[in-house]
């Protein structure tokens, strides 16, 4: 017997689909329901490596944690990793299968993947009591509906009821809800059960007349109004926009333990990937994490992090264009702490030989770490474990670049020279003992009277955040009605709202 299901769609990208999906998953698992997440097709530079060595979106890995299950490739069969404005790497069932332009993908390849996507969903529904699916962008992207495999395309083929999430903090949520339904075909509209308001601030009673009018206009009810909450710190699907200079990674933490704080500047390189690596730093009391894109913003930083990127050579060019490269070289010579992760590690080396990612051949690196990097066609996808600074460390690797380290002190399969550190390991800072030891090194090098909290558990904080999402659903959504949707599908007799999809 197939388990129940629900598709969480959104009026826009970043409406809150990922966190609402995670919240529903955590609420269900606390009710004793065996539940799994699913996203047919994800476009994201934030990814994760499963235990079987498959690459999936970090949002789905986070949702699997909300379900208290191990993430697998079934939960995100298609992952698109942008490599520029016009093309993406296509990752199918956790393995890269090539680069493709948006026109080529939407022109035929996407529709051919529908069978794979439906097979994965069917396998999950045959294993779990419920599968909570996340859509992408908006289901009313009428230019893409013909080849859609992640929104109404999968809802129609799998008979899933659809809940549309809208971010009221952006404004225009009523028009967005109405317009989303009214731009769908009659068959698609039959599956749209209703709405969920996200990020509401204020008195809900003032919103209720609008919700009543929306129900009158569409024949569809609102299943909940979720309040705005700061500091959830949950893994995001997409990269931060560089235009958001000074964006601060926030987390709910205690006051600093020592007399000083540590300031961390993260270079917001193009095609930044897995910037969630710094979430574990942001979770430490007394650590302030900020994204920057100008050299003067490095001046007062105690630690500079160069994160991963899908375009290592492009990141090098960007660092040089902005004057950040020269500032980083000076910083390394002065013995001021720098941490390069994955692509950020590679740019710190002497030479890069790239005929795979940028196809620019040999490129000079910043030359502050003794390594040469060459890009191999096969992507490395592993879950390494080891030791550094006297502490056990676990992480994951996602990269085409192979590093030949010729000197320095070994550090997590990378190296360290003075206070410049480099590794291909993502997620290493989530290992609590290692993170504390590393921050003590940074504090000593900078003369800061910073003391890491002795009991910060990143895993426990993540669990608390997921429980907060579950609480949002439990306390502010009609959970009985949600369960009826999951178990029985969309209500019968939902009215058609003209004009419907264009012919």
């Amino acid at each position: 017997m197939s388990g129940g299901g629900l598709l969480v769609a959104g009026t826009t990208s970043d409406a809150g689909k990922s966190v609402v999906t995670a919240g529903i998953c955590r609420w269900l698992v606390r009710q004793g329901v065996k539940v799994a997440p699913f996203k047919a097709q994800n476009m994201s530079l934030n990814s994760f490596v499963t235990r079987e060595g498959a690459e999936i979106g970090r949002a789905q890995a986070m949702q699997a944690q909300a379900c208290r299950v191990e993430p697998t490739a079934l939960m995100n069969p298609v992952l698109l990793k942008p490599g520029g404005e016009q093309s993406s790497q296509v990752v199918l069932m956790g393995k890269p299968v090539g680069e493709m332009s948006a026109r080529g993908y939407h022109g035929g390849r996407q529709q051919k993947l529908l069978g794979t996507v439906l097979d994965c969903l069917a396998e999950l529904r045959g294993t779990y009591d419920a599968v909570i699916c996340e859509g992408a962008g908006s289901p009313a992207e009428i230019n893409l509906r013909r080849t859609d495999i992640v929104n109404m395309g999968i809802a129609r083929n799998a008979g899933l009821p659809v809940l549309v999430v809208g971010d009221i903090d952006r404004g225009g949520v009523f028009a967005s809800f109405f317009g989303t339904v009214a731009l769908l075909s009659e068959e698609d509209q039959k599956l749209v059960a209703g709405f969920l308001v996200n990020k509401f601030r204020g008195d809900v009673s003032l919103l209720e007349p609008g919700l009543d009018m929306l129900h009158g206009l569409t024949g569809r009810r609102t299943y909940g109004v979720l309040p705005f909450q700061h500091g959830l710190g949950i893994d995001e699907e997409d990269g931060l926009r560089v235009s958001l200079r000074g964006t601060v990674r926030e987390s709910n933490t205690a006051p600093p333990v020592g007399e000083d704080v540590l300031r961390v500047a993260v270079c917001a390189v193009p095609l930044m990937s897995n910037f969630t690596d710094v979430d574990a730093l942001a979770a430490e009391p007394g650590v302030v994490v900020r994204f920057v894109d100008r050299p003067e913003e490095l001046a007062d930083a105690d630690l500079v992090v160069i994160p991963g990127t899908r375009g290592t050579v492009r990141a090098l060019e960007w660092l040089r264009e902005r004057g950040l490269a020269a500032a980083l070289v000076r910083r390394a010579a002065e013995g001021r702490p720098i941490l390069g992760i994955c692509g950020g590690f590679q740019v710190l080396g002497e030479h890069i030989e790239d005929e795979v990612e940028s196809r620019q051949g040999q490129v000079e690196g910043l030359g502050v770490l003794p390594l040469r990097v060459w890009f191999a066609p096969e992507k490395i996808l592993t879950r390494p474990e080891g030791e550094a600074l006297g502490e056990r460390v676990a992480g994951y690797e996602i990269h085409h670049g192979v590093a030949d380290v010729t000197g320095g002190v070994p550090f997590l399969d990378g190296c360290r020279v003075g206070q410049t550190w480099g590794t291909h390991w993502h997620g290493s800072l989530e290992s609590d003992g290692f993170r504390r030891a590393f921050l003590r090194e940074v504090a000593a090098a900078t003369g800061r009277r910073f003391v890491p909290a002795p009991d910060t558990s990143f895993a426990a904080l993540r669990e608390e955040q997921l429980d907060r999402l579950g609480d949002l659903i439990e306390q502010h959504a009609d959970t009985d009605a949600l369960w009826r949707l999951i178990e029985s599908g969309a209500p019968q007799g939902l009215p058609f709202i003209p004009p419907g999809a264009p012919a």
Side-chain angles (χ1 to χ4, degrees):
M1 180 179 173
S2 180
L6 174 70
L7 176 70
V8 178
T11 55
T12 62
S13 295
D14 201 31
K17 296 183 292 290
S18 294
V19 294
V20 168
T21 299
I24 294 173
C25 287
R26 178 49 61 100
W27 159 65
L28 284 171
V29 81
R30 294 195 308 206
Q31 310 308 308
V33 177
K34 187 180 178 186
V35 60
F38 180 77
K39 184 160 186 172
Q41 172 196 293
N42 196 344
M43 178 173 277
S44 178
L45 287 170
N46 284 333
S47 59
F48 181 77
V49 179
T50 67
R51 291 206 181 277
E52 70 266 30
E55 185 180 8
I56 66 171
R58 267 202 76 101
Q60 279 60 66
M62 175 269 292
Q63 291 160 358
Q65 188 175 349
C67 296
R68 298 180 179 144
V69 298
E70 192 66 34
T72 73
L74 289 172
M75 298 171 183
N76 180 206
V78 182
L79 173 63
L80 305 178
K81 302 193 75 175
E85 294 297 323
Q86 298 294 329
S87 67
S88 293
Q89 183 180 66
V90 181
V91 179
L92 179 61
M93 296 304 294
K95 304 296 181 184
V97 294
E99 297 277 336
M100 186 165 288
S101 69
R103 179 177 292 275
Y105 183 70
H106 290 288
R109 178 64 186 270
Q110 183 181 34
Q111 188 67 19
K112 292 177 182 176
L113 297 175
L114 180 60
T116 299
V117 162
L118 290 172
D119 287 345
C120 290
L121 178 56
E123 187 170 340
L124 289 173
R125 294 182 78 180
T127 306
Y128 291 89
D129 301 327
V131 178
I132 308 303
C133 307
E134 180 188 343
S138 161
E141 290 166 349
I142 53 180
N143 55 315
L144 302 176
R145 175 63 184 91
R146 184 178 60 83
T147 57
D148 171 45
I149 65 169
V150 65
N151 289 308
M152 300 313 299
I154 194 167
R156 280 271 290 277
N157 278 279
L160 295 171
V162 179
L163 183 69
V164 180
V165 178
D167 179 356
I168 197 170
D169 200 47
R170 295 181 173 194
V173 75
F174 293 114
S176 298
F177 281 146
F178 182 87
T180 296
V181 179
L183 280 176
L184 299 178
S185 70
E186 186 170 3
E187 289 304 308
D188 284 351
Q189 287 192 23
K190 289 178 181 177
L191 294 171
V192 179
F195 314 108
L196 186 77
V197 176
N198 191 30
K199 297 184 183 179
F200 179 72
R201 306 171 191 250
D203 185 347
V204 176
S205 67
L206 298 177
L207 187 66
E208 287 170 350
L211 300 179
D212 291 340
M213 285 185 271
L214 182 67
H215 183 267
L217 288 166
T218 67
R220 290 157 175 85
R221 56 168 299 180
T222 297
Y223 284 77
V225 178
L226 308 186
F228 188 99
Q229 289 209 353
H230 287 284
L232 285 172
I234 293 297
D235 300 52
E236 297 173 56
E237 182 176 280
D238 301 310
L240 293 174
R241 297 170 184 85
V242 172
S243 60
L244 297 177
R245 183 191 304 123
T247 296
V248 176
R249 276 315 250 186
E250 63 173 330
S251 184
N252 286 334
T253 58
V257 175
E259 296 179 46
D260 286 342
V261 299
L262 283 185
R263 294 172 176 83
V264 178
V266 184
C267 296
V269 296
L271 299 174
M272 181 167 49
S273 61
N274 288 67
F275 61 81
T276 47
D277 280 332
V278 299
D279 284 349
L281 294 177
E284 279 287 343
V287 176
V288 179
V289 177
R290 188 172 59 151
F291 289 87
V292 303
D293 62 358
R294 298 193 299 198
E296 57 268 30
E297 294 174 299
L298 306 186
D300 67 346
D302 301 303
L303 170 67
V304 173
V305 177
I306 312 173
T309 171
R310 252 280 280 157
T312 300
V313 171
R314 175 69 191 99
L316 258 175
E317 294 170 348
W318 182 86
L319 290 168
R320 288 183 169 125
E321 290 164 2
R322 298 258 171 170
L324 285 160
L328 288 166
V329 171
R330 285 195 303 272
R331 185 181 181 90
E334 293 165 359
R336 301 178 66 200
I338 300 171
L339 173 63
I341 302 173
C342 200
F345 168 44
Q346 295 166 7
V347 304
L348 292 170
E350 298 163 350
H351 300 285
I352 296 171
E353 185 73 31
D354 182 14
E355 299 292 351
V356 175
E357 198 173 75
S358 69
R359 296 182 173 86
Q360 290 195 28
Q362 184 161 307
V363 178
E364 295 296 309
L366 298 185
V368 297
L369 286 179
L371 69 134
R372 294 168 180 259
V373 177
W374 62 278
F375 277 71
E378 293 296 316
K379 182 182 282 191
I380 295 171
L381 298 167
T382 63
R383 292 272 292 266
E385 296 184 10
E387 186 173 304
L389 304 179
E391 300 285 347
R392 295 296 300 170
V393 191
Y396 57 99
E397 296 187 44
I398 306 170
H399 54 95
H400 284 279
V402 179
D404 177 19
V405 179
T406 58
V409 178
F411 172 68
L412 300 181
D413 293 343
C415 66
R416 167 191 181 182
V417 173
Q419 287 299 319
T420 301
W421 316 64
T423 177
H424 273 133
W425 292 23
H426 294 290
S428 62
L429 294 167
E430 295 179 19
S431 298
D432 298 325
F434 165 72
R435 182 179 65 255
R436 287 192 278 270
F438 178 69
L439 290 174
R440 281 193 289 269
E441 289 264 349
V442 172
T446 55
R448 296 288 186 192
R449 290 172 294 182
F450 168 84
V451 178
D455 54 357
T456 300
S457 166
F458 185 74
L461 286 171
R462 176 52 50 88
E463 278 296 302
E464 289 175 14
Q465 290 163 337
L466 291 171
D467 276 331
R468 288 175 66 198
L469 293 182
D471 292 343
L472 281 175
I473 298 299
E474 190 168 328
Q475 296 168 12
H476 301 282
D478 186 339
T479 52
D480 288 341
L482 273 181
W483 178 245
R484 285 194 297 272
L485 274 187
I486 294 166
E487 195 173 38
S488 306
Q492 297 296 306
L494 293 169
F496 170 70
I497 308 302

